[in-house]
Amino acid sequence: MTARSSSETTRVIPEATVARLPVYLRALTALADAGIRTCSSEDLATAAGVNSAKLRKDLSYLGSYGTRGVGYDVDYLRYQIAREIGVTQDWPVVIVGIGNLGHALANYSGFRSRGFRVVALLDADPERHEEIVAGVPVRPFADLEAIAREHAVAIGVIATPAGSAQDVADQMVAAGITSILNFAPAVISVPDGVDVRKVDLSIELQILAYHEQRKAHEHARVDADDHGAAALAVGGDA
Amino acid sequence: MTARSSSETTRVIPEATVARLPVYLRALTALADAGIRTCSSEDLATAAGVNSAKLRKDLSYLGSYGTRGVGYDVDYLRYQIAREIGVTQDWPVVIVGIGNLGHALANYSGFRSRGFRVVALLDADPERHEEIVAGVPVRPFADLEAIAREHAVAIGVIATPAGSAQDVADQMVAAGITSILNFAPAVISVPDGVDVRKVDLSIELQILAYHEQRKAHEHARVDADDHGAAALAVGGDA
DNA sequence: TAGATTGTTAATCGATTAACAATC
DNA sequence: TAGATTGTTAATCGATTAACAATC
């Protein structure tokens, strides 16, 4: 009996699709809050900011939860996506590094409302161990393993400076954490089987700057060409 | 004379490459800080967390800045990438929404060090207009257009609740801002020519939760199969 | 039945990767 | 020259899109 022989069919959902499922979930929640019971793929796609072909293709990886000629039942589809993502269950989370960003993350209401429960805030600085942030006391970083084991924490958030990120990641892995959300501006390496996602504020701004610069060049180039055309017209008179 | 006739060759850099250039820039800065003057594509790829084939392919879109048999001059390559991204120049930025996250963003040192200068903090709440955050006074949201025009702001950051995001985006566009970094958990629509990037904290966690859940299922499945095999062995004795 | 809309197919597009000729 | 490493090619892979048969 091999793992492959299991009765459960392992659907493989493309990574690009996985990344959009939470967007659909949020859009469905907004529709439900607006009292809408049924929607077409076109409606939902608009609410989620994608085109309807992509939405239908994405949903097709989960199953057939719509009705041809009718559309989707908002609550039903919402539940199916939530179940697929795993947000119908509770996910204990620890945040390491309680500076400005750590504070903001600890206070972020969007976590708790989606099943993420901040069970501990950790910081290496003893000065911070008096603090209570968002109702949770800040504890020494050394307590990580005990806390992670006690609460069966699977997800850790790194909000430390870049220099500490790898060490924190190593300790998280040692404590049995297998998913890491890294806000530190540093590349961290982890063993196979551990997932890391990276959010980098200054990288996002730099990507925008690149496009902004291209727009500026494009305008300058068009302007220069306009002047060229004008000069040519004037030159014709000379 | 058409725009296409311009002497400047418009290199098209793939979006996936653009998103990695800031990562390379940061890795090169780290190498330079460590006193390293020259590096191979393998060295830099390791520092950036990608494979060397991808790195070389990415750099090839910018030009030929390496030396075969030798590698890359760290400072030279760093300058070329910085120029390509546009971070050799100064980018005035406004942040709208000075809650927990807005505070953290205003205080984030990684912005200023990369040429992003926070010229104004704006908030709709009059209670906040007394505050000074990171040396910058919080001003009324109504001042957006005047400030944006005065400082030629091209990039705006939205750190408001979801409900205000579209309105803020509209006002930003009206004020001449053409790049928006949106932290609000909402889809915003903008006219053509305006770039939007979205950072969504809870979506990142949900993506991790999906993979975490799959790992848990995988383990449960393998365990079940193991038990199945054990039962089969026992069954053979019955 | 007629109209509407899904789920799927197939074509296209873009990104990744390995391999290696070019060349220092 | 011999060894090292880039820049490029070509193959592969994955994601997107349009179109439409299936079906409510």
Side-chain angles (χ1 to χ4, degrees):
Chain A
M1 200 178 207
T2 68
R4 203 159 297 116
S5 72
S6 165
S7 61
E8 187 160 322
T9 317
T10 309
R11 281 183 302 242
V12 187
I13 300 183
E15 199 48 44
T17 297
V18 170
R20 282 188 295 265
L21 292 180
V23 180
Y24 301 152
L25 188 59
R26 174 170 292 154
L28 284 165
T29 302
L31 291 177
D33 288 350
I36 295 165
R37 312 287 292 273
T38 301
C39 69
S40 68
S41 62
E42 193 63 45
D43 297 336
L44 181 53
T46 301
V50 301
N51 69 52
S52 65
K54 188 185 279 180
L55 172 77
R56 288 199 302 277
K57 182 75 172 158
D58 284 340
L59 294 185
S60 76
Y61 293 113
L62 310 193
S64 294
Y65 297 132
T67 307
R68 290 168 201 242
V70 178
Y72 302 91
D73 181 280
V74 170
D75 280 334
Y76 179 62
L77 183 58
R78 183 162 62 135
Y79 171 75
Q80 292 299 342
I81 294 178
R83 190 180 52 77
E84 188 73 42
I85 298 175
V87 290
T88 49
Q89 61 184 273
D90 182 77
W91 292 100
V93 169
V94 294
I95 301 176
V96 178
I98 313 301
N100 279 302
L101 183 60
H103 259 94
L105 295 173
N107 280 295
Y108 182 46
S109 60
F111 288 167
R112 174 160 277 234
S113 69
R114 281 169 193 84
F116 300 100
R117 187 164 43 90
V118 178
V119 298
L121 305 175
L122 305 173
D123 201 290
D125 181 358
E127 301 250 323
R128 292 220 168 94
H129 298 161
E130 312 286 300
E131 273 183 73
I132 294 182
V133 179
V136 181
V138 178
R139 297 177 58 180
F141 177 54
D143 293 357
L144 173 62
E145 176 138 19
I147 292 169
R149 300 283 179 201
E150 182 191 343
H151 293 93
V153 172
I155 301 176
V157 177
I158 301 179
T160 65
S164 321
Q166 183 62 59
D167 181 47
V168 172
D170 292 344
Q171 301 289 324
M172 283 181 167
V173 170
I177 287 173
T178 46
S179 286
I180 296 175
L181 181 53
N182 179 28
F183 286 92
V187 173
I188 59 176
S189 62
V190 295
D192 279 359
V194 177
D195 282 295
V196 176
R197 291 192 66 87
K198 183 158 175 41
V199 174
D200 196 313
L201 312 178
S202 85
I203 283 182
E204 296 299 324
L205 275 190
Q206 290 177 66
I207 294 168
L208 286 175
Y210 170 80
H211 292 294
E212 202 53 48
Q213 183 178 238
R214 278 198 72 230
K215 287 180 219 167
H217 283 171
E218 178 66 20
H219 293 151
R221 208 159 56 70
V222 171
D223 288 352
D225 285 348
D226 284 352
H227 293 149
L232 200 66
V234 171
D237 288 336
Chain B
M1 201 180 208
T2 68
R4 201 157 299 116
S5 73
S6 166
S7 61
E8 185 160 322
T9 316
T10 309
R11 281 182 303 241
V12 187
I13 300 183
E15 198 50 42
T17 297
V18 169
R20 283 188 294 265
L21 292 180
V23 180
Y24 301 153
L25 187 59
R26 173 169 293 155
L28 284 164
T29 302
L31 291 176
D33 288 350
I36 294 165
R37 312 288 291 272
T38 301
C39 69
S40 68
S41 61
E42 194 63 44
D43 297 335
L44 181 53
T46 300
V50 302
N51 69 53
S52 65
K54 188 185 279 181
L55 172 77
R56 289 198 303 277
K57 181 74 172 158
D58 283 340
L59 294 184
S60 76
Y61 293 112
L62 312 191
S64 294
Y65 297 131
T67 307
R68 289 167 200 242
V70 177
Y72 302 92
D73 182 280
V74 171
D75 279 335
Y76 180 61
L77 183 57
R78 184 162 61 134
Y79 172 74
Q80 292 298 342
I81 293 177
R83 191 180 50 76
E84 189 72 41
I85 298 175
V87 289
T88 49
Q89 62 183 274
D90 182 78
W91 292 101
V93 169
V94 294
I95 300 176
V96 178
I98 313 302
N100 279 302
L101 183 60
H103 260 93
L105 296 173
N107 280 296
Y108 182 47
S109 59
F111 287 166
R112 172 159 279 230
S113 68
R114 283 168 190 86
F116 300 100
R117 188 163 44 88
V118 177
V119 298
L121 304 175
L122 305 173
D123 201 290
D125 181 358
E127 300 250 323
R128 291 220 168 94
H129 299 160
E130 310 285 300
E131 274 184 70
I132 293 181
V133 178
V136 181
V138 178
R139 297 176 58 178
F141 177 54
D143 292 0
L144 173 62
E145 176 138 18
I147 292 168
R149 301 281 179 204
E150 181 192 344
H151 293 92
V153 172
I155 301 176
V157 176
I158 301 179
T160 65
S164 322
Q166 183 62 59
D167 181 48
V168 171
D170 292 343
Q171 302 289 325
M172 283 181 168
V173 170
I177 288 174
T178 47
S179 286
I180 295 175
L181 182 53
N182 179 27
F183 286 91
V187 174
I188 59 176
S189 62
V190 295
D192 279 359
V194 177
D195 282 295
V196 175
R197 290 192 67 87
K198 182 155 177 43
V199 175
D200 195 311
L201 313 179
S202 85
I203 282 181
E204 296 298 326
L205 276 190
Q206 289 176 68
I207 295 168
L208 287 175
Y210 170 80
H211 292 294
E212 202 53 49
Q213 183 179 238
R214 278 198 72 232
K215 288 181 218 167
H217 283 171
E218 178 67 21
H219 294 153
R221 208 158 56 69
V222 170
D223 288 352
D225 286 349
D226 284 352
H227 292 149
L232 200 65
V234 170
D237 287 337

